[in-house]
Amino acid sequence: MSKLEGEVYYPSKEVVARANVKDYDSLYERSIKDREGFWAEEAEKLEWFKKWDKVLDDSQKPFYKWFVGGKFNIVHNAIDRHLKTWRRNKLALIWEGEPGDLRTFSYHALNREVSSFARILHSMGVRKGDTVTIYMPQIPELAFAMLACAKIGAVHSVVYGGFSVEALAERIADARSRVVVTADGGFRRGKITDLKKTVDEAIKRSPTVESCIVVRRTGHEVYMESGRDFWYHDLQQLPIACPDGQECKTEVMDAEDPLFILYTSGTTGKPKGQVHTHGGYAVYTSTTHRYVFDIKEEDRWWCAADPGWITGHSYIVYGPLINGATVMMYEGAPNYPYPNRWWKMIEKYGITILYTSPTAIRGLMRFGDDWPKRYDLSSLRLLGSVGEPINPEAWRWYYEVIGQKRCPIMDTWWQTETGGFMITPLPITPLKPGSATKPFFGNEVAVVDDEGNEVLVGEEGKLVIKNPWPGMARTIYGDPDRYVQTYWKDYEKQGWYKTGDSARIDKDGYVWIIGRIDDVIKVSGYRLGTAEIESALVSHPAVAEAAAIGLPHELKGNAIHAYVILKQGFTPSPRLEQELKDHVASEVGPIARPEDIQFVESLPKTRSGKIMRRVLKAKALGKDVGDLSTLED
Ligand code: PRX
């Protein structure tokens, strides 16, 4: 290999010796020359009720279809097929609650729990194609509920437990769910999050909801509406059976049938429901997980994300279970009650791979090296990062202090829309801190200008993906036009997917992600839309108009800054500022709480009335505001 430029970390002989892929270049070349052949070979590793007729149908671009004609169910692959092997008794899930309680499930036990949940859903009238909204803390039942939906062919829509009333109500309404699954609450930083109360409020705004299944977690008193709300443990006692008997069968689905909807924030107030499917998504998540994290039978895999976001869907639940891995799940905050919590769990459970976000790493780094150094972290062999660019200082700390210079860091770039890793190292890849390195097999990426010309080496431009891949979202739920407009319109001629990120590619072909160039703000790795924050602000009686932007923040990556025009009769005050921050937190969720609110007389707008957030941002950062020719005033 020719010499690479900059700060480079080469993998050790041990890492290379055990890696699932030994030669990136040759497999990459093959995967590009014969993309369909590559993905067919990967799909063969899963069990199909009936094999596909065609790997890729691109006759209705950009509505690509994968493994057309194939009969499949992701749960058959994530659970059922393992029961026929010794994995039946392997640990599927190790879960630790924030108060320290522990629950473990073998694949056999996982099947029992998922089947029981599936029976209950079925008894509630949930059928193939129905959408169930799941709003839960990080407890095993969250995963059981997801898998139970998939098992009977229902579509799950998980709403992150940190979202509040408005966000939840909007997502229930868009998905038209009749059934909501929730819990009384969860534990976070020693406190109870009152999920059921949020659900009650949201249901008041959601006429479609008929019943609500409530899992008991915290045991605190909650309101239960008779005829609508049911305790999960009560339902479990009922002698209900599926039509096919006590053993609830896994439904035979088409490969392209929807598996779940997951909402992402968009430019307008309405969140976009990304639709993922059974077949392609299963192939993509399991393949990326197996190659990038070099999964072995003896691994204990810990993806410390929340299942309520795509990272949890793909890499806590589906990818790892398809690969028959042992999955670690933890309910609470990383530094509760002390900043040793994670390191203690790694030692206690012998975790071999840790996958987390730069925000979590930065948050734990600030407590110093002594906390992790008190623990035996020698079980770790690989590390991962996701959600936002990782700054080199955090990368080095993660590598040196946590990975003890032994564990390569897989900085995986991807999105809710992509379903799985798109640009990522493999364990054998020489690493540069802060770069997600190279495209995963089958993918071709480029950094281009508005016309689609590749920019010069090292220059910033727009990141595009040039090809379809099995894990891609198939559409936006109920709004295919918006899917085309948002992702495919800008490079329609070339047929490329617009990621919404800017990036640069260096001389060695390494990709460096810079950040979002649209109206998305990544706060602590969580994805929020400026529109959601703005519409929460204007729903307050004092606010006439509002604009939100993200500005760099040492710990969170970005923090929300809002500009507010007050209605006549209201005057700016620190109290009102506080009230508005609380209002956003209660409408959208605590993660959306603005860092700072400024009261202003006007906002920069285009002649067509669109707020020019880039002008606000440039001004706040003391940068050149750029082209102002479209500014109205
Ligand atoms: O800006 C990129 C950033 O997260 C965005 C996608 O957010 P979401 O759909 O919530 O999915 C996050 C988890 C996959 C991207 O457009 N992003 C994600 N991973 C990275 C990243 N930015 C830099 N480096 C990454 N590894």
Side-chain angles (χ1 to χ4, degrees):
M1 189 182 298
S2 60
K3 191 162 166 5
L4 301 174
E5 277 193 1
E7 185 185 356
V8 183
Y9 292 74
Y10 291 89
S12 67
K13 274 201 218 91
E14 293 77 37
V15 168
V16 176
R18 65 179 300 172
N20 284 343
V21 179
K22 302 271 194 260
D23 179 2
Y24 168 81
D25 291 335
S26 60
L27 189 53
Y28 179 73
E29 204 183 299
R30 218 216 99 200
S31 75
I32 298 302
K33 268 202 195 126
D34 178 16
R35 182 170 291 120
E36 290 177 44
F38 173 80
W39 286 116
E41 210 167 277
E42 294 304 326
E44 298 275 7
K45 295 175 184 164
L46 304 185
E47 274 187 19
W48 297 75
F49 300 126
K50 177 187 164 277
K51 200 180 157 171
W52 56 89
D53 305 318
K54 203 169 179 341
V55 176
L56 173 66
D57 174 359
D58 59 1
S59 59
Q60 285 160 22
K61 289 176 193 167
F63 298 98
Y64 295 93
K65 293 193 182 105
W66 285 87
F67 308 109
V68 185
K71 297 284 181 194
F72 187 85
N73 189 309
I74 199 163
V75 172
H76 177 81
N77 282 276
I79 303 177
D80 305 5
R81 69 176 174 140
H82 302 318
L83 304 178
K84 296 179 277 184
T85 71
W86 67 272
R87 280 190 188 142
R88 180 183 186 83
N89 295 323
K90 180 177 174 176
L91 273 190
L93 182 64
I94 303 172
W95 175 85
E96 192 174 293
E98 200 186 67
D101 38 345
L102 168 68
R103 293 167 76 192
T104 56
F105 301 86
S106 64
Y107 275 90
H108 171 77
L110 177 65
N111 180 55
R112 183 189 64 224
E113 298 294 329
V114 171
S115 298
S116 155
F117 219 126
R119 267 201 304 277
I120 289 171
L121 289 173
H122 193 273
S123 74
M124 294 280 190
V126 176
R127 296 290 180 272
K128 191 171 178 172
D130 288 348
T131 305
V132 175
T133 296
I134 303 175
Y135 181 70
M136 299 264 261
Q138 268 214 62
I139 54 175
E141 283 78 7
L142 168 49
F144 303 158
M146 291 164 72
L147 291 158
C149 287
K151 186 176 172 77
I152 61 173
V155 179
H156 58 73
S157 163
V158 178
V159 179
Y160 167 59
F163 275 135
S164 293
V165 180
E166 184 54 35
L168 174 60
E170 214 171 19
R171 285 157 175 77
I172 294 175
D174 189 76
R176 291 187 283 276
S177 293
R178 286 189 297 111
V179 175
V180 174
V181 179
T182 189
D184 49 359
F187 292 103
R188 187 83 190 172
R189 268 178 236 293
K191 292 206 193 83
I192 285 175
T193 49
D194 208 339
L195 293 182
K196 180 63 169 55
K197 205 162 147 195
T198 307
V199 170
D200 291 337
E201 281 304 308
I203 290 182
K204 279 190 201 150
R205 306 185 197 180
S206 317
T208 56
V209 177
E210 291 164 11
S211 34
C212 178
I213 302 174
V214 188
V215 175
R216 181 172 280 160
R217 163 66 186 135
T218 56
H220 74 291
E221 205 171 316
V222 294
Y223 168 75
M224 294 289 282
E225 186 165 305
S226 121
R228 186 198 71 186
D229 299 346
F230 303 91
W231 285 110
Y232 179 61
H233 58 267
D234 283 345
L235 297 171
Q236 271 184 314
Q237 302 308 319
L238 297 176
I240 35 180
C242 275
D244 43 26
Q246 200 58 20
E247 255 307 300
C248 192
K249 277 216 200 89
T250 302
E251 191 77 34
V252 174
M253 307 294 288
D254 284 329
E256 278 291 304
D257 276 338
L259 168 66
F260 66 83
I261 304 171
L262 187 57
Y263 288 90
T264 61
S265 305
T267 321
T268 66
K270 206 167 140 48
K272 300 190 287 256
Q274 306 292 338
V275 179
H276 284 283
T277 58
H278 271 259
Y281 176 80
V283 174
Y284 200 75
T285 53
S286 58
T287 306
T288 47
H289 182 242
R290 185 167 2 96
Y291 285 153
V292 174
F293 284 101
D294 199 30
I295 295 302
K296 301 288 190 307
E297 279 309 343
E298 62 273 25
D299 274 319
R300 288 197 160 181
W301 160 257
W302 184 11
C303 165
D306 190 293
W309 299 86
I310 191 68
T311 311
H313 281 57
S314 300
Y315 298 111
I316 296 179
V317 180
Y318 291 112
L321 293 179
I322 295 171
N323 287 332
T326 297
V327 175
M328 170 77 205
M329 195 169 152
Y330 166 59
E331 177 184 35
N335 56 348
Y336 187 83
Y338 300 108
N340 62 347
R341 186 67 190 257
W342 274 19
W343 320 128
K344 203 170 153 184
M345 283 193 288
I346 290 172
E347 179 184 284
K348 181 172 175 192
Y349 301 112
I351 301 298
T352 58
I353 312 172
L354 173 67
Y355 181 44
T356 185
S357 68
T359 290
I361 297 160
R362 286 192 295 264
L364 290 165
M365 183 170 97
R366 83 194 145 120
F367 295 109
D369 300 3
D370 287 347
W371 293 100
K373 281 196 170 147
R374 284 198 202 105
Y375 293 88
D376 179 5
L377 305 180
S378 62
S379 57
L380 287 173
R381 65 180 189 90
L382 281 173
L383 299 172
S385 173
V386 60
E388 48 183 321
I390 180 163
N391 46 314
E393 305 76 61
W395 194 100
R396 281 183 218 111
W397 186 81
Y398 196 26
Y399 184 77
E400 285 166 15
V401 180
I402 306 308
Q404 299 164 344
K405 302 185 184 167
R406 184 184 65 241
C407 313
I409 301 174
M410 304 296 105
D411 180 354
T412 60
W413 177 89
W414 58 295
Q415 308 177 301
T416 308
E417 293 86 340
T418 71
F421 313 148
M422 297 302 287
I423 304 174
T424 172
L426 300 173
I428 55 162
T429 310
L431 302 172
K432 301 189 187 188
S435 167
T437 75
K438 305 217 172 164
F440 187 73
F441 304 120
N443 295 330
E444 291 171 279
V445 304
V447 171
V448 300
D449 62 17
D450 287 335
E451 279 70 52
N453 307 305
E454 289 201 20
V455 302
L456 297 175
V457 169
E459 278 188 13
E460 180 174 350
K462 296 178 175 178
L463 180 69
V464 295
I465 299 161
K466 294 182 164 180
N467 52 272
W469 63 100
M472 65 202 302
R474 299 298 193 263
T475 188
I476 292 174
Y477 186 67
D479 201 348
D481 288 346
R482 195 168 172 209
Y483 175 74
V484 177
Q485 284 298 333
T486 312
Y487 305 108
W488 302 96
K489 199 76 196 159
D490 284 16
Y491 300 102
E492 192 179 16
K493 213 170 61 211
Q494 299 90 339
W496 296 343
Y497 168 86
K498 180 183 82 170
T499 65
D501 277 16
S502 74
R504 57 191 178 81
I505 299 183
D506 72 14
K507 268 198 191 124
D508 300 319
Y510 277 51
V511 182
W512 299 75
I513 305 294
I514 296 165
R516 299 291 310 192
I517 33 177
D518 54 5
D519 299 332
V520 169
I521 310 179
K522 298 279 313 201
V523 182
S524 301
Y526 294 122
R527 178 166 167 173
L528 293 165
T530 52
E532 273 175 309
I533 300 154
E534 290 160 5
S535 70
L537 281 167
V538 295
S539 74
H540 187 279
V543 177
E545 270 189 85
I549 58 168
L551 293 178
H553 185 279
E554 209 182 324
L555 273 183
K556 302 177 182 172
N558 293 289
I560 297 165
H561 291 248
Y563 299 82
V564 164
I565 304 178
L566 291 176
K567 282 188 189 148
Q568 267 193 348
F570 291 91
T571 41
S573 71
R575 222 180 102 194
L576 184 56
E577 182 182 342
Q578 194 55 39
E579 193 179 314
L580 293 178
K581 286 181 183 172
D582 292 345
H583 180 71
V584 176
S586 84
E587 284 292 296
V588 186
I591 46 165
R593 176 187 292 275
E595 189 80 6
D596 179 56
I597 293 183
Q598 286 193 33
F599 297 103
V600 294
E601 296 291 321
S602 67
L603 289 167
K605 285 188 189 157
T606 62
R607 278 180 213 108
S608 58
K610 269 197 165 138
I611 297 171
M612 294 177 84
R613 294 185 191 80
R614 71 171 172 85
V615 174
L616 288 170
K617 199 164 170 170
K619 271 199 87 173
L621 294 172
K623 281 192 182 159
D624 178 17
V625 291
D627 179 13
L628 288 182
S629 56
T630 55
L631 192 69
E632 168 202 43
D633 184 3

